Amino acid sequence: MRYYSTRNKNEFVNFTIAALTGLAPDGGLFIPEEIPLYPANVRSSLGSMDFTDIAFETVKPYVQDIIPNNALSDIVQSAFTFNAPLIPAADRYCLELFHGPTAAFKDFGARFMARAFSYLRRGEDRPLRILVATSGDTGGAVADGFFEVPGIFVTVLYPKGRVTPLQERQIAGLGKNITALAVEGSFDDCQQLVKAALADEGGVLKTNDQKRPALSSANSINISRLIPQAVYYSAAAGRAFSGNIDSDEEATPRIKGSPYPSEIKKGLITLCVPSGNFGNLTAGLYAMKMGAPIKQFIAATNINKTFPDYLNSGEYLTRTSQVTISNAMDVGAPSNFERIAAHFTLDEMRRIILGVSVNDDETKETILRIHKEAGYFLDPHSAVGWKGVDKLLTENKIDKSDVFGILSTAHPAKFSEVVEPLVGLPPVPFSLASAMERTVNAKTIPAEVPALIETLYENK
Ligand SMILES: *Cc1c(COP(=O)(O)O)cnc(C)c1O
């Protein structure tokens, strides 16, 4: 498979270059030359295949010329050691994407990416340093994914005082090859610093010096984080289509003893994706184009509704982000928009994707109501998705008789500051409880390029 930048259709790179460089040199995002179709036999068995087999079949066409089958098989087996169950709750499904080590869906992309990077860099002596800016969830997933991977160092930049205590421990509690920098500034400042360092402003980092680590980034602009996220869409859609539904009552955050819905629908599913930077939705669009049985998508945002507004007006107007209780989606200029727009025209987008925006009061009200009515705990991001479906149903924009699935993007205990005062907490997963025990070890730096560079030198 060849990849090109969203800003230049005439030059191609292979998967290795696309993954290891992250952002294209012209500032665009790498996309595959074409979106491959599942072979017919795979497509018809999505509802019964093992998750790792679906992962193998989904990723294979994107990396075939670079990663041989046996290596790819090892990568997906070791990356996806947890499931993505499709759980019935009230009148719809929740696709629970929070059973990985940092309890948010970003584990899928980050764990695949870490293992793919190790493979792509095999035999390479020069170390690699990955810089990642985070508003909270990405940093923890990337740190966890790359923890103790030989030859790779990770520096996570997060806005000091603006991540939750749990997120800070996930980012700054691991040590070893993971360095945490608490930046005196906002998420945008962190992202600016990373971009400046990657561009090696003024050449001070001498990124061509073979004795120093090469630099790369791991934000969701990286295509190697996005492709593996298509896997759970295909798995879930296949199961909803064939009626092969999980009932993992132990793992699911429900009130003990609350009943499963008696009638479970099957058919073509409409999936609602709580969205911020739109990496997750882009992966869903890839799964649909590959042939997964998906009817439609709903892009649910909080009040940062750049994309829903675009679908309405046809005009793409980015703005500065506003703070909400679903803070992983506080994005005013979603970077993956550029990818979606490269693959689809506005008319196509309008046919495939419905946009909806949900405010904080509606989000809280939904967490309360679903806990009461279905005994199910939603985190604030998943609650935005749930309410998004409700609003579109009320407006008659979608059909009540359809099959709906919400992507549950984080475990409710991950956002305990919001969830606990409203409805209490379900049992906290072991990985979160043990992360809370870690000691934060971060270096505070001002939001200035020289401070970052100095730290990168200290760390060798
Ligand atoms: C990152 C994140 C999102 C938003 O995903 P995008 O791919 O950026 O649209 C939603 N929910 C949670 C919990 C997240 O961590």
Side-chain angles (χ1 to χ4, degrees):
M1 178 72 74
R2 302 195 300 174
Y3 295 82
Y4 63 92
S5 161
T6 45
R7 298 184 190 174
N8 179 1
K9 276 191 178 166
N10 302 316
E11 275 176 40
F12 294 92
V13 298
N14 65 16
F15 178 73
T16 308
I17 304 285
L20 293 180
T21 46
L23 195 68
D26 60 10
L29 278 66
F30 286 115
I31 54 175
E33 185 175 17
E34 56 169 2
I35 298 180
L37 276 178
Y38 284 118
N41 64 324
V42 172
R43 185 166 187 253
S44 60
S45 7
L46 288 173
S48 55
M49 285 165 71
D50 282 347
F51 192 82
T52 46
D53 292 337
I54 298 178
F56 177 84
E57 292 294 342
T58 304
V59 178
K60 185 171 72 171
Y62 294 97
V63 301
Q64 216 156 22
D65 50 333
I66 301 288
I67 308 181
N69 286 350
N70 57 352
L72 178 61
S73 175
D74 290 349
I75 290 172
V76 298
Q77 302 274 353
S78 90
F80 304 131
T81 49
F82 46 91
N83 212 341
L86 188 68
I87 298 287
D91 60 345
R92 62 197 70 170
Y93 292 110
C94 286
L95 172 56
E96 294 182 351
L97 302 176
F98 48 68
H99 295 290
T102 70
F105 79 88
K106 291 186 176 76
D107 283 328
F108 287 93
R111 287 172 65 87
F112 175 86
M113 181 189 199
R115 286 154 183 81
F117 270 40
S118 278
Y119 178 82
L120 298 175
R121 291 176 35 81
R122 68 199 181 288
E124 170 75 68
D125 289 332
R126 189 178 180 194
L128 180 71
R129 178 168 294 278
I130 291 173
L131 298 178
V132 51
T134 184
S135 61
D137 277 352
T138 297
V142 171
D144 196 276
F146 282 95
F147 185 52
E148 296 190 311
V149 172
I152 300 185
F153 300 88
V154 174
T155 300
V156 183
L157 289 80
Y158 65 97
K160 188 180 168 101
R162 299 197 201 178
V163 300
T164 71
L166 171 64
Q167 286 172 329
E168 187 164 39
R169 282 161 181 75
Q170 289 178 329
I171 295 164
L174 288 170
K176 296 202 177 161
N177 62 326
I178 313 294
T179 306
L181 300 179
V183 176
E184 292 172 320
S186 67
F187 167 63
D188 293 322
D189 293 326
C190 297
Q191 207 155 21
Q192 269 324 107
L193 287 178
V194 167
K195 282 190 183 153
L198 287 175
D200 196 6
E201 273 176 14
V204 271
L205 279 172
K206 300 188 186 62
T207 43
N208 289 326
D209 176 350
Q210 293 297 314
K211 286 191 288 275
R212 305 192 48 76
L215 291 181
S216 183
S217 104
N219 279 93
S220 73
I221 45 171
N222 196 305
I223 190 75
S224 70
R225 263 184 65 188
L226 207 131
I227 292 167
Q229 289 178 205
V231 177
Y232 47 73
Y233 284 93
S234 296
R239 280 160 177 247
F241 194 71
S242 61
N244 178 16
I245 298 310
D246 307 273
S247 60
D248 197 349
E249 301 206 38
E250 281 303 302
T252 292
R254 269 177 200 275
I255 300 174
K256 254 203 158 20
S258 57
Y260 269 48
S262 52
E263 195 195 332
I264 291 174
K265 288 185 191 168
K266 63 175 180 177
L268 265 188
I269 195 165
T270 293
L271 287 164
C272 180
V273 188
S275 294
N277 236 339
F278 282 75
N280 206 4
L281 181 72
T282 308
L285 293 167
Y286 282 20
M288 185 192 216
K289 277 209 135 187
M290 292 181 78
I294 297 167
K295 179 171 180 180
Q296 228 176 3
F297 288 100
I298 297 169
T301 66
N302 56 33
I303 53 168
N304 294 285
K305 57 190 176 80
T306 301
F307 188 79
D309 282 352
Y310 168 71
L311 290 180
N312 272 333
S313 70
E315 243 186 301
Y316 188 68
L317 298 171
T318 62
R319 40 203 102 152
T320 36
S321 62
Q322 300 186 61
V323 174
T324 75
I325 57 169
S326 48
N327 63 8
M329 312 197 298
D330 293 350
V331 182
S335 43
N336 280 288
F337 175 76
E338 197 165 324
R339 269 198 181 105
I340 301 178
H343 287 296
F344 301 94
T345 65
L346 174 60
D347 279 345
E348 287 169 331
M349 283 186 224
R350 282 176 168 157
R351 263 199 303 281
I352 306 172
I353 313 164
L354 293 164
V356 63
S357 144
V358 172
N359 68 31
D360 278 358
D361 284 344
E362 293 169 324
T363 306
K364 287 187 195 156
E365 176 270 327
T366 305
I367 294 173
L368 269 167
R369 185 167 54 85
I370 301 314
H371 179 263
K372 195 162 153 229
E373 289 175 5
Y376 190 78
F377 291 86
L378 292 166
D379 99 288
H381 306 81
S382 315
V384 165
W386 191 293
K387 180 70 184 179
V389 171
D390 289 346
K391 286 178 106 166
L392 293 173
L393 280 171
T394 309
E395 295 166 16
N396 285 319
K397 293 202 175 125
I398 47 178
D399 196 318
K400 230 180 130 102
S401 61
D402 278 354
V403 184
F404 295 105
I406 313 296
L407 273 72
S408 296
T409 50
H411 192 283
K414 186 158 195 188
F415 293 91
S416 57
E417 293 77 8
V418 178
V419 177
E420 193 167 16
L422 294 169
V423 294
L425 281 186
V428 176
F430 174 76
S431 64
L432 292 189
S434 60
M436 275 314 281
E437 302 294 309
R438 295 182 198 142
T439 320
V440 171
N441 186 359
K443 181 176 173 188
T444 299
I445 64 163
E448 289 157 12
V449 179
L452 173 61
I453 287 172
E454 193 181 308
T455 320
L456 292 176
Y457 266 113
E458 273 168 24
N459 290 335
K460 84 159 181 131

